[in-house]
Amino acid sequence: MSMRHDPGGGWSRRSALAGLGAGLLVTGGCAERTDVRAAGGFIVGSSATGVPFSFLDVETNALTGAMIDIVEATAAEAGAPVALQVVPFSALIPSLTARKIDVIAAAMLRTPERERIVAFSDPVYAYGGGLVVAAGNPRDYGRLEDLRGLRVGAQVGSRFVDQLKAAGVSGVKTYDNLSDILRDVRLKRLDAAYGDEPILRYYLRVTRSKALRLVESYRPTALEDVCLILRKDDRALLDRINTAIAAIRGSTLPPILAKWGL
């Protein structure tokens, strides 16, 4: 099945599923990554489970998505070569602090807790959480507190687990990827899925799922920033990246976001 972008702005159902539940893959060997650093570039780590922000092209085994386009455009503006490496979402920050990668480009929201560990670039996008339930569930949920007493799935290591617990939702079950969460909502093992609103909306649109629906009545309390993420001690690289983001913000960045329906 083709992975090429279709006229409606979406990708194939196979692509969406791969982007929500892909396994670990490393693109570029150790020698290549060493060469990139020696040439003044950086190694980018990204999740393969965050369509349309970052996911795996099943035809080429390469990372693609909005955050991949953004980090590559930023690197090009900065005159820096990059190597891409797929890392599970929950392992992105540990991989960064262990210096296995130099930059995170993924759908990872800026939070005070994360800011204590890593450094965030200037924002490139902002969004909040979204809620998915079975299509046969007619109830509207306007806030997270309405989910108390329900079984709710969220991605491990994400901001959304903390938000659910802060709202007093005790029946939270964590998963490695959104694909497994949505599967369990379809199978009635969960009452709801809570996660990245653009990712959930994109999945439902491209798969045309009739078993699930996005709860349009739910409104996140706030939009949170999506940034490129670096080590706190890598100030020189952070300055280069912020300078490049400023240069592409009014030109290259808007078409990238539009291309991915953001």
Side-chain angles (χ1 to χ4, degrees):
M1 184 175 292
S2 174
M3 281 290 298
R4 291 179 174 80
H5 204 249
D6 67 31
W11 294 82
S12 70
R13 181 177 184 274
R14 180 182 176 190
S15 307
L17 290 170
L20 287 170
L24 176 64
L25 176 80
V26 175
T27 58
C30 293
E32 178 186 343
R33 297 196 297 275
T34 300
D35 290 345
V36 165
R37 282 172 167 164
F42 49 89
I43 302 165
V44 177
S46 190
S47 166
T49 61
V51 58
F53 292 98
S54 62
F55 62 101
L56 201 64
D57 182 323
V58 295
E59 280 191 350
T60 64
N61 279 340
L63 278 165
T64 189
M67 289 303 292
I68 304 305
D69 287 353
I70 288 170
V71 74
E72 289 182 337
T74 300
E77 178 65 32
V82 298
L84 300 175
Q85 180 172 332
V86 177
V87 180
F89 186 87
S90 60
L92 282 168
I93 288 180
S95 295
L96 180 68
T97 57
R99 301 185 179 275
K100 295 178 181 178
I101 59 175
D102 304 307
V103 175
I104 295 172
M108 181 175 287
L109 299 174
R110 182 176 192 165
T111 67
E113 295 80 9
R114 289 173 178 151
E115 284 185 300
R116 289 195 286 267
I117 303 170
V118 294
F120 288 79
S121 74
D122 293 336
V124 296
Y125 190 63
Y127 68 85
L131 187 64
V132 170
V133 298
N137 179 351
R139 183 177 175 184
D140 286 331
Y141 303 87
R143 55 185 193 147
L144 291 182
E145 286 78 4
D146 295 336
L147 300 175
R148 291 173 180 171
L150 301 182
R151 303 163 300 169
V152 184
Q155 189 172 12
V156 65
S158 74
R159 171 71 163 162
F160 304 111
V161 175
D162 299 332
Q163 291 176 357
L164 287 166
K165 291 181 178 179
V169 181
S170 58
V172 179
K173 185 176 180 181
T174 57
Y175 292 73
D176 288 333
N177 58 72
L178 289 173
S179 179
D180 289 345
I181 300 173
L182 294 173
R183 175 205 64 206
D184 277 5
V185 176
R186 287 196 303 270
L187 295 175
K188 304 187 185 304
R189 296 171 182 163
L190 292 173
D191 299 304
Y194 183 60
D196 311 77
E197 191 273 348
I199 297 176
L200 294 171
R201 184 180 294 277
Y202 197 93
Y203 171 85
L204 294 178
R205 176 165 64 85
V206 301
T207 61
R208 298 179 176 88
S209 174
K210 296 181 179 180
L212 303 171
R213 69 175 180 91
L214 189 72
V215 180
E216 299 290 354
S217 60
Y218 174 73
R219 292 290 181 271
T221 55
L223 299 181
E224 297 181 89
D225 291 331
V226 180
C227 312
L228 299 177
I229 304 173
L230 298 84
R231 288 183 292 275
K232 280 184 170 291
D233 62 358
D234 211 345
R235 186 69 203 186
L237 180 56
L238 179 62
D239 289 344
R240 287 174 67 196
I241 284 177
N242 280 338
T243 298
I245 289 173
I248 69 172
R249 186 174 300 282
S251 55
T252 308
L253 188 56
I256 290 174
L257 296 175
K259 168 186 172 183
W260 295 102
L262 299 171

